[in-house]
Amino acid sequence: AERPGRRRVVMTDAHARAEWHALLTEMGETRWDVDFIADEWSQVILGQALGSFTEYARARRAGRGRPLSRPERMSVWQLTEQFAKRMDEGEWATHAATAALAARIESERAARIAVGEASAPSYDSRYLHIVVDEAQDLHAAHWKMLRAMVHAGSRNDIFCVADTHQRIYDSVVSLGSLGVNIRGRSARLTLNYRTTKEILVSALRLLGSENYDDLDGGIDDLI
């Protein structure tokens, strides 16, 4: 297991993908491209803190766009183990791996606080409230860390603002599965100071039939 105090060099996304490419080439693996395998590791395995193949075999993969059979998941799992070993030998870390480690540390802290209590009081959490802007760009591990930082039963625990139409990273998450309950509690902002409705409609025609998620396993729209 990774030790929190161990210092590592954080790789850029380009460096991480270069290492994935090198690994796939060395292994003679042609079933997966770099983008798919890197995102599967980052979004599913790290994002859900999966520590064994048994957990990965049962994991939901919402938003990944391609179903995987059990043998295919085994192939992916073995490749991610090799990649983790490669990072360990180089004393590297990715941004996603660093976020996942922070989430685990914070979750363990929250668990220690809650031991022996039916419901941990909100003042025992690190924060009373958390505000998140540009929430569409957070990785699943970021959400797990934030969830552990504020007690889920407290009033107005997490307030977030997001627009998946402006997402710049390919990190599709379902907040409900990560312990952030927005169903029935969200509201749409309708006043736009940047773009008129006419410009928006024209832009959407150019985009075609592209779908955008609502951060909770559903589909969102702008009209």
Side-chain angles (χ1 to χ4, degrees):
E2 177 69 47
R3 293 184 178 181
R6 185 174 180 181
R7 293 183 179 274
R8 288 177 178 247
V9 175
V10 178
M11 308 162 72
T12 64
D13 290 341
H15 183 188
R17 274 168 162 69
E19 291 299 327
W20 271 115
H21 183 270
L23 176 62
L24 294 176
T25 301
E26 291 170 12
M27 301 289 289
E29 182 59 68
T30 58
R31 284 175 293 178
W32 322 109
D33 61 36
V34 169
D35 288 338
F36 176 84
I37 195 72
D39 289 341
E40 185 74 8
W41 179 70
S42 172
Q43 296 179 23
V44 180
I45 295 175
L46 289 181
Q48 297 183 39
L50 305 177
S52 68
F53 172 70
T54 299
E55 293 178 346
Y56 177 53
R58 298 172 179 170
R60 294 180 68 253
R61 302 174 57 258
R64 293 294 293 132
R66 173 181 176 176
L68 296 179
S69 65
R70 186 179 179 86
E72 287 175 328
R73 291 198 189 206
M74 174 58 79
S75 170
V76 169
W77 182 260
Q78 290 172 341
L79 286 170
T80 59
E81 285 187 320
Q82 288 297 318
F83 186 73
K85 180 180 179 182
R86 194 183 192 94
M87 287 205 306
D88 190 58
E89 292 172 347
E91 296 192 349
W92 298 320
T94 64
H95 290 287
T98 303
L101 175 60
R104 179 169 65 82
I105 293 171
E106 198 60 32
S107 295
E108 290 173 352
R109 175 187 179 276
R112 288 195 301 270
I113 291 173
V115 168
E117 299 180 15
S119 177
S122 59
Y123 54 77
D124 279 341
S125 299
R126 190 177 293 275
Y127 299 107
L128 292 177
H129 313 286
I130 291 177
V131 177
V132 184
D133 193 17
E134 303 292 357
Q136 73 276 359
D137 289 323
L138 267 62
H139 184 273
H142 295 136
W143 287 109
K144 290 177 74 70
M145 179 185 69
L146 294 175
R147 175 69 286 165
M149 283 179 152
V150 58
H151 182 49
S154 62
R155 180 178 174 82
N156 297 324
D157 51 347
I158 298 178
F159 176 87
C160 59
V161 181
D163 182 358
T164 57
H165 299 78
Q166 298 187 57
R167 180 182 282 130
I168 60 175
Y169 302 112
D170 188 21
S171 296
V172 179
V173 301
S174 174
L175 294 185
S177 68
L178 298 170
V180 181
N181 181 22
I182 64 172
R183 191 158 300 176
R185 304 172 63 194
S186 61
R188 175 178 296 219
L189 303 180
T190 58
L191 187 59
N192 190 338
Y193 290 100
R194 296 180 180 177
T195 306
T196 65
K197 185 173 183 178
E198 290 77 12
I199 292 175
L200 173 61
V201 171
S202 296
L204 290 175
R205 290 197 192 104
L206 292 175
L207 289 173
S209 58
E210 187 76 18
N211 289 327
Y212 298 87
D213 66 283
D214 65 354
L215 290 178
D216 207 33
I219 302 299
D220 193 22
D221 62 71
L222 286 174
I223 303 300

